[in-house]
PDB file of all heavy atoms in Angstrom:
ATOM      1  N   ARG A1003      82.778  99.538 102.691  1.00 97.00           N
ATOM      2  CA  ARG A1003      83.882 100.448 102.999  1.00 97.00           C
ATOM      3  C   ARG A1003      84.791 100.653 101.791  1.00 97.00           C
ATOM      4  O   ARG A1003      85.336 101.740 101.581  1.00 97.00           O
ATOM      5  CB  ARG A1003      84.705  99.911 104.183  1.00 97.00           C
ATOM      6  CG  ARG A1003      84.022 100.031 105.515  1.00 97.00           C
ATOM      7  CD  ARG A1003      84.953  99.653 106.654  1.00 97.00           C
ATOM      8  NE  ARG A1003      85.246  98.232 106.719  1.00 97.00           N
ATOM      9  CZ  ARG A1003      86.375  97.671 106.347  1.00 97.00           C
ATOM     10  NH1 ARG A1003      87.365  98.423 105.855  1.00 97.00           N
ATOM     11  NH2 ARG A1003      86.557  96.371 106.446  1.00 97.00           N
ATOM     12  N   HIS A1004      84.935  99.607 100.992  1.00 96.00           N
ATOM     13  CA  HIS A1004      85.811  99.703  99.828  1.00 96.00           C
ATOM     14  C   HIS A1004      85.274 100.710  98.817  1.00 96.00           C
ATOM     15  O   HIS A1004      86.055 101.428  98.176  1.00 96.00           O
ATOM     16  CB  HIS A1004      85.969  98.336  99.170  1.00 96.00           C
ATOM     17  CG  HIS A1004      86.980  98.308  98.072  1.00 96.00           C
ATOM     18  ND1 HIS A1004      88.336  98.438  98.294  1.00 96.00           N
ATOM     19  CD2 HIS A1004      86.841  98.199  96.723  1.00 96.00           C
ATOM     20  CE1 HIS A1004      88.981  98.396  97.148  1.00 96.00           C
ATOM     21  NE2 HIS A1004      88.097  98.253  96.177  1.00 96.00           N
ATOM     22  N   VAL A1005      83.960 100.776  98.678  1.00 97.00           N
ATOM     23  CA  VAL A1005      83.367 101.759  97.771  1.00 97.00           C
ATOM     24  C   VAL A1005      83.706 103.175  98.239  1.00 97.00           C
ATOM     25  O   VAL A1005      84.073 104.041  97.437  1.00 97.00           O
ATOM     26  CB  VAL A1005      81.839 101.564  97.677  1.00 97.00           C
ATOM     27  CG1 VAL A1005      81.200 102.687  96.857  1.00 97.00           C
ATOM     28  CG2 VAL A1005      81.507 100.211  97.060  1.00 97.00           C
ATOM     29  N   ILE A1006      83.586 103.412  99.539  1.00 97.00           N
ATOM     30  CA  ILE A1006      83.942 104.715 100.099  1.00 97.00           C
ATOM     31  C   ILE A1006      85.428 104.995  99.890  1.00 97.00           C
ATOM     32  O   ILE A1006      85.822 106.104  99.482  1.00 97.00           O
ATOM     33  CB  ILE A1006      83.609 104.770 101.602  1.00 97.00           C
ATOM     34  CG1 ILE A1006      82.102 104.588 101.833  1.00 97.00           C
ATOM     35  CG2 ILE A1006      84.095 106.082 102.212  1.00 97.00           C
ATOM     36  CD1 ILE A1006      81.249 105.706 101.335  1.00 97.00           C
ATOM     37  N   ALA A1007      86.254 103.998 100.157  1.00 97.00           N
ATOM     38  CA  ALA A1007      87.701 104.176 100.026  1.00 97.00           C
ATOM     39  C   ALA A1007      88.094 104.466  98.579  1.00 97.00           C
ATOM     40  O   ALA A1007      88.978 105.299  98.317  1.00 97.00           O
ATOM     41  CB  ALA A1007      88.433 102.935 100.540  1.00 97.00           C
ATOM     42  N   GLU A1008      87.450 103.805  97.629  1.00 97.00           N
ATOM     43  CA  GLU A1008      87.731 104.057  96.207  1.00 97.00           C
ATOM     44  C   GLU A1008      87.459 105.517  95.861  1.00 97.00           C
ATOM     45  O   GLU A1008      88.266 106.174  95.184  1.00 97.00           O
ATOM     46  CB  GLU A1008      86.852 103.161  95.335  1.00 97.00           C
ATOM     47  CG  GLU A1008      87.273 101.715  95.263  1.00 97.00           C
ATOM     48  CD  GLU A1008      86.322 100.904  94.408  1.00 97.00           C
ATOM     49  OE1 GLU A1008      85.120 101.248  94.358  1.00 97.00           O
ATOM     50  OE2 GLU A1008      86.760  99.931  93.794  1.00 97.00           O
ATOM     51  N   PHE A1009      86.317 106.010  96.313  1.00 96.00           N
ATOM     52  CA  PHE A1009      85.952 107.396  96.023  1.00 96.00           C
ATOM     53  C   PHE A1009      86.957 108.361  96.642  1.00 96.00           C
ATOM     54  O   PHE A1009      87.430 109.300  95.978  1.00 96.00           O
ATOM     55  CB  PHE A1009      84.545 107.675  96.562  1.00 96.00           C
ATOM     56  CG  PHE A1009      84.174 109.136  96.543  1.00 96.00           C
ATOM     57  CD1 PHE A1009      83.814 109.753  95.359  1.00 96.00           C
ATOM     58  CD2 PHE A1009      84.188 109.884  97.710  1.00 96.00           C
ATOM     59  CE1 PHE A1009      83.483 111.106  95.333  1.00 96.00           C
ATOM     60  CE2 PHE A1009      83.856 111.234  97.697  1.00 96.00           C
ATOM     61  CZ  PHE A1009      83.495 111.841  96.499  1.00 96.00           C
ATOM     62  N   CYS A1010      87.286 108.142  97.904  1.00 96.00           N
ATOM     63  CA  CYS A1010      88.224 109.033  98.594  1.00 96.00           C
ATOM     64  C   CYS A1010      89.609 108.979  97.957  1.00 96.00           C
ATOM     65  O   CYS A1010      90.283 110.007  97.823  1.00 96.00           O
ATOM     66  CB  CYS A1010      88.305 108.659 100.069  1.00 96.00           C
ATOM     67  SG  CYS A1010      86.766 108.927 100.972  1.00 96.00           S
ATOM     68  N   ALA A1011      90.032 107.787  97.572  1.00 97.00           N
ATOM     69  CA  ALA A1011      91.353 107.639  96.960  1.00 97.00           C
ATOM     70  C   ALA A1011      91.434 108.407  95.645  1.00 97.00           C
ATOM     71  O   ALA A1011      92.453 109.048  95.338  1.00 97.00           O
ATOM     72  CB  ALA A1011      91.653 106.159  96.726  1.00 97.00           C
ATOM     73  N   THR A1012      90.366 108.363  94.862  1.00 95.00           N
ATOM     74  CA  THR A1012      90.346 109.102  93.597  1.00 95.00           C
ATOM     75  C   THR A1012      90.451 110.600  93.855  1.00 95.00           C
ATOM     76  O   THR A1012      91.204 111.309  93.180  1.00 95.00           O
ATOM     77  CB  THR A1012      89.053 108.792  92.827  1.00 95.00           C
ATOM     78  OG1 THR A1012      89.012 107.389  92.525  1.00 95.00           O
ATOM     79  CG2 THR A1012      88.991 109.583  91.532  1.00 95.00           C
ATOM     80  N   ARG A1013      89.704 111.073  94.857  1.00 94.00           N
ATOM     81  CA  ARG A1013      89.740 112.502  95.190  1.00 94.00           C
ATOM     82  C   ARG A1013      91.116 112.920  95.721  1.00 94.00           C
ATOM     83  O   ARG A1013      91.585 114.024  95.447  1.00 94.00           O
ATOM     84  CB  ARG A1013      88.670 112.815  96.236  1.00 94.00           C
ATOM     85  CG  ARG A1013      87.255 112.895  95.712  1.00 94.00           C
ATOM     86  CD  ARG A1013      87.065 114.120  94.822  1.00 94.00           C
ATOM     87  NE  ARG A1013      85.677 114.398  94.537  1.00 94.00           N
ATOM     88  CZ  ARG A1013      84.912 115.237  95.217  1.00 94.00           C
ATOM     89  NH1 ARG A1013      85.427 115.897  96.247  1.00 94.00           N
ATOM     90  NH2 ARG A1013      83.666 115.433  94.882  1.00 94.00           N
ATOM     91  N   LEU A1014      91.747 112.025  96.485  1.00 94.00           N
ATOM     92  CA  LEU A1014      93.007 112.375  97.139  1.00 94.00           C
ATOM     93  C   LEU A1014      94.234 112.030  96.307  1.00 94.00           C
ATOM     94  O   LEU A1014      95.361 112.408  96.665  1.00 94.00           O
ATOM     95  CB  LEU A1014      93.095 111.660  98.491  1.00 94.00           C
ATOM     96  CG  LEU A1014      92.015 112.032  99.516  1.00 94.00           C
ATOM     97  CD1 LEU A1014      92.078 111.096 100.714  1.00 94.00           C
ATOM     98  CD2 LEU A1014      92.155 113.487  99.946  1.00 94.00           C
ATOM     99  N   GLY A1015      94.035 111.292  95.219  1.00 95.00           N
ATOM    100  CA  GLY A1015      95.155 110.921  94.373  1.00 95.00           C
ATOM    101  C   GLY A1015      96.066 109.878  94.979  1.00 95.00           C
ATOM    102  O   GLY A1015      97.286 109.912  94.758  1.00 95.00           O
ATOM    103  N   VAL A1016      95.473 108.949  95.739  1.00 96.00           N
ATOM    104  CA  VAL A1016      96.254 107.881  96.373  1.00 96.00           C
ATOM    105  C   VAL A1016      95.577 106.541  96.082  1.00 96.00           C
ATOM    106  O   VAL A1016      94.526 106.484  95.449  1.00 96.00           O
ATOM    107  CB  VAL A1016      96.373 108.097  97.904  1.00 96.00           C
ATOM    108  CG1 VAL A1016      97.094 109.415  98.199  1.00 96.00           C
ATOM    109  CG2 VAL A1016      94.995 108.083  98.561  1.00 96.00           C
ATOM    110  N   SER A1017      96.174 105.470  96.561  1.00 97.00           N
ATOM    111  CA  SER A1017      95.580 104.147  96.408  1.00 97.00           C
ATOM    112  C   SER A1017      94.444 103.964  97.402  1.00 97.00           C
ATOM    113  O   SER A1017      94.500 104.474  98.525  1.00 97.00           O
ATOM    114  CB  SER A1017      96.637 103.065  96.642  1.00 97.00           C
ATOM    115  OG  SER A1017      96.029 101.784  96.777  1.00 97.00           O
ATOM    116  N   GLU A1018      93.406 103.222  96.978  1.00 95.00           N
ATOM    117  CA  GLU A1018      92.304 102.952  97.905  1.00 95.00           C
ATOM    118  C   GLU A1018      92.737 102.105  99.093  1.00 95.00           C
ATOM    119  O   GLU A1018      92.025 102.005 100.091  1.00 95.00           O
ATOM    120  CB  GLU A1018      91.135 102.267  97.186  1.00 95.00           C
ATOM    121  CG  GLU A1018      91.414 100.870  96.670  1.00 95.00           C
ATOM    122  CD  GLU A1018      91.865 100.878  95.209  1.00 95.00           C
ATOM    123  OE1 GLU A1018      92.438 101.890  94.761  1.00 95.00           O
ATOM    124  OE2 GLU A1018      91.640  99.854  94.538  1.00 95.00           O
ATOM    125  N   HIS A1019      93.906 101.479  98.990  1.00 96.00           N
ATOM    126  CA  HIS A1019      94.412 100.655 100.091  1.00 96.00           C
ATOM    127  C   HIS A1019      95.251 101.462 101.084  1.00 96.00           C
ATOM    128  O   HIS A1019      95.663 100.920 102.113  1.00 96.00           O
ATOM    129  CB  HIS A1019      95.241  99.496  99.540  1.00 96.00           C
ATOM    130  CG  HIS A1019      94.480  98.625  98.581  1.00 96.00           C
ATOM    131  ND1 HIS A1019      93.423  97.829  98.985  1.00 96.00           N
ATOM    132  CD2 HIS A1019      94.630  98.430  97.238  1.00 96.00           C
ATOM    133  CE1 HIS A1019      92.941  97.177  97.931  1.00 96.00           C
ATOM    134  NE2 HIS A1019      93.658  97.527  96.869  1.00 96.00           N
ATOM    135  N   ASP A1020      95.499 102.727 100.787  1.00 97.00           N
ATOM    136  CA  ASP A1020      96.281 103.556 101.700  1.00 97.00           C
ATOM    137  C   ASP A1020      95.508 103.815 102.992  1.00 97.00           C
ATOM    138  O   ASP A1020      94.277 103.669 103.055  1.00 97.00           O
ATOM    139  CB  ASP A1020      96.648 104.881 101.034  1.00 97.00           C
ATOM    140  CG  ASP A1020      97.772 104.741 100.030  1.00 97.00           C
ATOM    141  OD1 ASP A1020      98.300 103.621  99.883  1.00 97.00           O
ATOM    142  OD2 ASP A1020      98.119 105.745  99.373  1.00 97.00           O
ATOM    143  N   HIS A1021      96.253 104.239 103.987  1.00 97.00           N
ATOM    144  CA  HIS A1021      95.678 104.405 105.324  1.00 97.00           C
ATOM    145  C   HIS A1021      94.532 105.407 105.369  1.00 97.00           C
ATOM    146  O   HIS A1021      93.483 105.149 105.975  1.00 97.00           O
ATOM    147  CB  HIS A1021      96.776 104.832 106.306  1.00 97.00           C
ATOM    148  CG  HIS A1021      96.294 105.042 107.698  1.00 97.00           C
ATOM    149  ND1 HIS A1021      96.331 106.264 108.319  1.00 97.00           N
ATOM    150  CD2 HIS A1021      95.734 104.186 108.589  1.00 97.00           C
ATOM    151  CE1 HIS A1021      95.837 106.156 109.541  1.00 97.00           C
ATOM    152  NE2 HIS A1021      95.459 104.913 109.726  1.00 97.00           N
ATOM    153  N   LEU A1022      94.678 106.564 104.734  1.00 95.00           N
ATOM    154  CA  LEU A1022      93.669 107.610 104.853  1.00 95.00           C
ATOM    155  C   LEU A1022      92.329 107.214 104.237  1.00 95.00           C
ATOM    156  O   LEU A1022      91.277 107.343 104.900  1.00 95.00           O
ATOM    157  CB  LEU A1022      94.185 108.913 104.241  1.00 95.00           C
ATOM    158  CG  LEU A1022      93.309 110.151 104.469  1.00 95.00           C
ATOM    159  CD1 LEU A1022      93.013 110.357 105.951  1.00 95.00           C
ATOM    160  CD2 LEU A1022      93.986 111.384 103.883  1.00 95.00           C
ATOM    161  N   PRO A1023      92.276 106.706 102.988  1.00 96.00           N
ATOM    162  CA  PRO A1023      90.986 106.271 102.446  1.00 96.00           C
ATOM    163  C   PRO A1023      90.349 105.153 103.273  1.00 96.00           C
ATOM    164  O   PRO A1023      89.125 105.132 103.463  1.00 96.00           O
ATOM    165  CB  PRO A1023      91.330 105.785 101.036  1.00 96.00           C
ATOM    166  CG  PRO A1023      92.589 106.490 100.690  1.00 96.00           C
ATOM    167  CD  PRO A1023      93.346 106.614 101.977  1.00 96.00           C
ATOM    168  N   GLN A1024      91.177 104.235 103.772  1.00 97.00           N
ATOM    169  CA  GLN A1024      90.644 103.153 104.595  1.00 97.00           C
ATOM    170  C   GLN A1024      90.081 103.692 105.912  1.00 97.00           C
ATOM    171  O   GLN A1024      89.039 103.240 106.396  1.00 97.00           O
ATOM    172  CB  GLN A1024      91.731 102.110 104.867  1.00 97.00           C
ATOM    173  CG  GLN A1024      92.134 101.293 103.658  1.00 97.00           C
ATOM    174  CD  GLN A1024      90.991 100.432 103.141  1.00 97.00           C
ATOM    175  OE1 GLN A1024      90.278  99.802 103.908  1.00 97.00           O
ATOM    176  NE2 GLN A1024      90.822 100.405 101.826  1.00 97.00           N
ATOM    177  N   THR A1025      90.761 104.664 106.491  1.00 96.00           N
ATOM    178  CA  THR A1025      90.278 105.270 107.733  1.00 96.00           C
ATOM    179  C   THR A1025      88.935 105.961 107.509  1.00 96.00           C
ATOM    180  O   THR A1025      87.998 105.814 108.317  1.00 96.00           O
ATOM    181  CB  THR A1025      91.298 106.296 108.266  1.00 96.00           C
ATOM    182  OG1 THR A1025      92.516 105.612 108.574  1.00 96.00           O
ATOM    183  CG2 THR A1025      90.777 106.983 109.528  1.00 96.00           C
ATOM    184  N   ILE A1026      88.814 106.683 106.418  1.00 96.00           N
ATOM    185  CA  ILE A1026      87.553 107.367 106.122  1.00 96.00           C
ATOM    186  C   ILE A1026      86.433 106.351 105.922  1.00 96.00           C
ATOM    187  O   ILE A1026      85.294 106.556 106.347  1.00 96.00           O
ATOM    188  CB  ILE A1026      87.709 108.276 104.890  1.00 96.00           C
ATOM    189  CG1 ILE A1026      88.730 109.382 105.170  1.00 96.00           C
ATOM    190  CG2 ILE A1026      86.364 108.891 104.501  1.00 96.00           C
ATOM    191  CD1 ILE A1026      89.083 110.211 103.944  1.00 96.00           C
ATOM    192  N   GLY A1027      86.747 105.232 105.273  1.00 96.00           N
ATOM    193  CA  GLY A1027      85.751 104.188 105.089  1.00 96.00           C
ATOM    194  C   GLY A1027      85.231 103.656 106.411  1.00 96.00           C
ATOM    195  O   GLY A1027      84.020 103.469 106.605  1.00 96.00           O
ATOM    196  N   TRP A1028      86.160 103.412 107.357  1.00 97.00           N
ATOM    197  CA  TRP A1028      85.756 102.941 108.682  1.00 97.00           C
ATOM    198  C   TRP A1028      84.933 103.984 109.418  1.00 97.00           C
ATOM    199  O   TRP A1028      83.949 103.669 110.099  1.00 97.00           O
ATOM    200  CB  TRP A1028      86.992 102.574 109.504  1.00 97.00           C
ATOM    201  CG  TRP A1028      87.532 101.209 109.242  1.00 97.00           C
ATOM    202  CD1 TRP A1028      88.650 100.878 108.537  1.00 97.00           C
ATOM    203  CD2 TRP A1028      86.973  99.957 109.686  1.00 97.00           C
ATOM    204  NE1 TRP A1028      88.823  99.515 108.516  1.00 97.00           N
ATOM    205  CE2 TRP A1028      87.812  98.927 109.209  1.00 97.00           C
ATOM    206  CE3 TRP A1028      85.850  99.622 110.435  1.00 97.00           C
ATOM    207  CZ2 TRP A1028      87.558  97.579 109.461  1.00 97.00           C
ATOM    208  CZ3 TRP A1028      85.588  98.278 110.691  1.00 97.00           C
ATOM    209  CH2 TRP A1028      86.437  97.269 110.209  1.00 97.00           C
ATOM    210  N   LEU A1029      85.317 105.259 109.290  1.00 96.00           N
ATOM    211  CA  LEU A1029      84.572 106.327 109.959  1.00 96.00           C
ATOM    212  C   LEU A1029      83.151 106.428 109.415  1.00 96.00           C
ATOM    213  O   LEU A1029      82.191 106.600 110.182  1.00 96.00           O
ATOM    214  CB  LEU A1029      85.302 107.657 109.778  1.00 96.00           C
ATOM    215  CG  LEU A1029      86.622 107.818 110.539  1.00 96.00           C
ATOM    216  CD1 LEU A1029      87.346 109.089 110.079  1.00 96.00           C
ATOM    217  CD2 LEU A1029      86.384 107.859 112.037  1.00 96.00           C
ATOM    218  N   CYS A1030      82.992 106.323 108.107  1.00 96.00           N
ATOM    219  CA  CYS A1030      81.660 106.374 107.506  1.00 96.00           C
ATOM    220  C   CYS A1030      80.813 105.193 107.948  1.00 96.00           C
ATOM    221  O   CYS A1030      79.615 105.340 108.254  1.00 96.00           O
ATOM    222  CB  CYS A1030      81.766 106.403 105.980  1.00 96.00           C
ATOM    223  SG  CYS A1030      82.397 107.955 105.300  1.00 96.00           S
ATOM    224  N   LEU A1031      81.424 104.011 107.992  1.00 96.00           N
ATOM    225  CA  LEU A1031      80.702 102.834 108.450  1.00 96.00           C
ATOM    226  C   LEU A1031      80.247 103.014 109.892  1.00 96.00           C
ATOM    227  O   LEU A1031      79.097 102.718 110.239  1.00 96.00           O
ATOM    228  CB  LEU A1031      81.588 101.594 108.329  1.00 96.00           C
ATOM    229  CG  LEU A1031      80.978 100.291 108.874  1.00 96.00           C
ATOM    230  CD1 LEU A1031      79.733  99.904 108.092  1.00 96.00           C
ATOM    231  CD2 LEU A1031      82.005  99.157 108.848  1.00 96.00           C
ATOM    232  N   GLY A1032      81.131 103.511 110.748  1.00 96.00           N
ATOM    233  CA  GLY A1032      80.777 103.727 112.139  1.00 96.00           C
ATOM    234  C   GLY A1032      79.637 104.709 112.297  1.00 96.00           C
ATOM    235  O   GLY A1032      78.725 104.498 113.116  1.00 96.00           O
ATOM    236  N   ALA A1033      79.658 105.786 111.520  1.00 96.00           N
ATOM    237  CA  ALA A1033      78.587 106.778 111.591  1.00 96.00           C
ATOM    238  C   ALA A1033      77.249 106.166 111.179  1.00 96.00           C
ATOM    239  O   ALA A1033      76.213 106.427 111.810  1.00 96.00           O
ATOM    240  CB  ALA A1033      78.922 107.975 110.701  1.00 96.00           C
TER     241      ALA A1033
END
Side-chain angles (χ1 to χ4, degrees):
R1003 287 187 289 105
H1004 187 69
V1005 174
I1006 298 293
E1008 284 178 330
F1009 169 77
C1010 294
T1012 298
R1013 283 291 193 94
L1014 298 171
V1016 299
S1017 168
E1018 66 266 27
H1019 303 292
D1020 284 358
H1021 179 244
L1022 188 54
Q1024 290 296 316
T1025 297
I1026 297 172
W1028 277 105
L1029 290 171
C1030 289
L1031 176 63

